[in-house]
Amino acid sequence: MHVTHLSLADFRSYARVEVPLDPGVTAFVGPNGQGKTNLVEAVGYLATLGSHRVASDAPLVRMGAERAVIRAAVRQGERAQLIELELNPGRANRARINRSSQVKPRDVLGIVRTVLFAPEDLALVKGDPGERRRFLDELITARAPRMAGVRSDYERVLKQRNTLLKSAAMARRHGGRAGAAPGTRSSGADLSTLDVWDQHLARAGAELLAQRLDLTAALQPLADKAYEQLAPGGGPVTLEYRSSAEGTGHSREELYEQLMAALTEARKQEIERGVTLVGPHRDDLLLRLGQLPAKGYASHGESWSYALALRLASYDLLRAEGNEPVLVLDDVFAELDARRRERLAELVAPAEQVLVTAAVDDDVPEVLAGTRFSVSGGEVTRA
């Protein structure tokens, strides 16, 4: 699969830009702040419905414009598709596939798949658990686009349950039913409602948890292999999923029961604190290098190799499952020493499509010779 044409309107710094793309390697080269990353960010948005740089859509719309449009022509084998996303901050986004207006944005998931390498990847190893949960969930959705709906359901239920817990905690602090402040619910009413939300949370959580466990198992040998390729003799690496719900079951029904039991056990503490303490949103992916946790023990270079290994494992997994993703390397080579730079370049060079951004030509390894675009002052020109 590869993108054959990218068109942007009022996206980030671009009022309008048209970029024809070929299979193989394409590098966007130019000084920082000229819009290189904006181009690959748009491709990534088509794959994930989100940006790797910001949490909301508002910064993606060019200043002074009301909306942004990302349009891409995509080819997989003999099949060609045209996909379009209209970003409307504060309102519902819109999507079209092959010029049909009868689709939801979620329907475009799976048409474009990407694996992104970026300087922010170091947070996969050194950052908070949320970075690793996001890594897992985005890869889960790339493998099975329907999981976007499951993730959305889980987040909706979690938000509702947290609202009820907060209201129960407030009522408790104000003396319950008799002493509650005006406008607050009684703790009794909240507790009876929470029983229903527990079931919803556990059901969606069990599906998400099952997918994360399956993904962790699938990534383990691929990440270990990739790390050995990047840093021979430096491993092994081990991925271990840490769940907030104790248990050994892996079927969805077993995971549902484990989550329900954990929610029941945590109920008193949750009401006191006014927040959900059990579920996939509290879990972590423990990364070990040798016998030690990578976070806090791995050197800077080892942490970089680990992060790159996770991305390479993601690529290998998606490719093995039949839809090779576009590889996006966003200003990553400038962050690496010469040895890691050359090894990473050799590993990604055979991919069907590789998009690279770099400040100067020298940052792009020779093995990634291909099409070059110069990006400067909002203009993208073939070098």
Side-chain angles (χ1 to χ4, degrees):
M1 184 274 296
H2 63 277
V3 178
T4 61
H5 193 93
L6 177 67
S7 174
L8 304 179
D10 291 325
F11 183 87
R12 288 285 195 179
S13 58
Y14 294 103
R16 185 169 298 276
V17 67
E18 304 286 338
V19 185
L21 295 169
D22 300 318
V25 178
T26 297
F28 300 101
V29 181
N32 292 332
Q34 300 302 303
K36 305 182 303 294
T37 293
N38 299 346
L39 299 170
V40 296
E41 181 182 28
V43 176
Y45 195 101
L46 294 171
T48 64
L49 301 184
S51 164
H52 70 287
R53 302 161 76 192
V54 293
S56 68
D57 287 348
L60 305 180
V61 179
R62 190 172 65 92
M63 186 174 295
E66 293 184 357
R67 62 175 187 169
V69 176
I70 306 171
R71 185 181 296 110
V74 182
R75 179 168 293 278
Q76 183 175 6
E78 297 301 316
R79 186 184 185 190
Q81 290 182 281
L82 180 66
I83 58 178
E84 179 181 305
L85 284 173
E86 180 182 292
L87 281 54
N88 299 295
R91 296 175 289 127
N93 291 343
R94 301 171 63 183
R96 295 199 300 175
I97 301 175
N98 295 332
R99 305 196 183 280
S100 169
S101 59
Q102 303 302 313
V103 300
K104 299 176 181 179
R106 194 182 296 169
D107 293 332
V108 308
L109 291 172
I111 297 177
V112 175
R113 286 181 169 89
T114 62
V115 171
L116 170 74
F117 297 76
E120 294 85 354
D121 284 349
L122 207 55
L124 290 176
V125 180
K126 293 188 172 185
D128 294 332
E131 300 287 347
R132 291 178 286 279
R133 290 194 296 266
R134 179 182 175 183
F135 163 72
L136 290 174
D137 290 346
E138 288 186 350
L139 186 50
I140 284 168
T141 304
R143 298 177 77 195
R146 70 173 184 84
M147 286 302 298
V150 175
R151 291 170 60 189
S152 178
D153 288 346
Y154 183 83
E155 290 166 5
R156 175 181 56 82
V157 172
L158 177 63
K159 183 178 179 180
Q160 182 64 49
R161 190 174 186 274
N162 280 338
T163 299
L164 293 171
L165 283 170
K166 184 177 180 180
S167 124
M170 290 175 62
R172 188 183 184 92
R173 285 193 291 270
H174 286 89
R177 193 182 302 271
T184 60
R185 299 187 182 199
S186 71
S187 61
D190 282 341
L191 289 174
S192 64
T193 309
L194 277 172
D195 290 337
V196 177
W197 288 108
D198 281 2
Q199 297 174 36
H200 290 311
L201 188 81
R203 188 60 67 190
E207 179 65 25
L208 183 55
L209 183 51
Q211 292 282 345
R212 286 184 183 177
L213 290 169
D214 177 68
L215 176 58
T216 302
L219 283 176
Q220 167 63 63
L222 299 175
D224 191 44
K225 175 185 175 183
Y227 192 91
E228 176 64 21
Q229 291 172 318
L230 290 164
V237 303
T238 307
L239 315 183
E240 179 186 346
Y241 189 84
R242 288 284 183 87
S243 174
S244 55
E246 295 183 0
T248 58
H250 281 229
S251 73
R252 283 157 179 75
E253 197 56 40
E254 289 172 326
L255 293 171
Y256 170 79
E257 295 297 337
Q258 288 168 199
L259 284 168
M260 286 295 293
L263 287 167
T264 299
E265 183 176 350
R267 172 71 64 88
K268 181 179 178 181
Q269 188 180 4
E270 287 184 331
I271 292 173
E272 290 174 350
R273 296 179 57 179
V275 67
T276 302
L277 300 174
V278 174
H281 66 289
R282 305 282 294 192
D283 296 353
D284 195 4
L285 180 66
L286 179 62
L287 308 176
R288 284 197 177 91
L289 181 59
Q291 300 301 313
L292 297 173
K295 182 178 180 179
Y297 290 91
S299 69
H300 184 75
E302 289 171 334
S303 297
W304 257 119
S305 292
Y306 212 131
L308 295 172
L310 291 173
R311 293 302 188 188
L312 287 168
S314 303
Y315 166 69
D316 287 338
L317 180 62
L318 292 175
R319 182 178 59 176
E321 292 177 346
N323 192 350
E324 183 167 347
V326 176
L327 290 184
V328 179
L329 293 93
D330 181 23
D331 203 25
V332 72
F333 288 114
E335 301 288 332
L336 305 177
D337 59 39
R339 179 172 61 91
R340 289 181 177 85
R341 180 185 301 187
E342 293 303 321
R343 284 185 173 157
L344 176 61
E346 290 170 359
L347 291 171
V348 303
E352 182 174 348
Q353 187 169 49
V354 184
L355 305 180
V356 181
T357 70
V360 295
D361 278 317
D362 288 347
D363 283 346
V364 184
E366 291 183 7
V367 71
L368 294 180
T371 304
R372 290 286 193 277
F373 284 93
S374 175
V375 182
S376 179
E379 297 292 328
V380 182
T381 55
R382 191 182 290 264

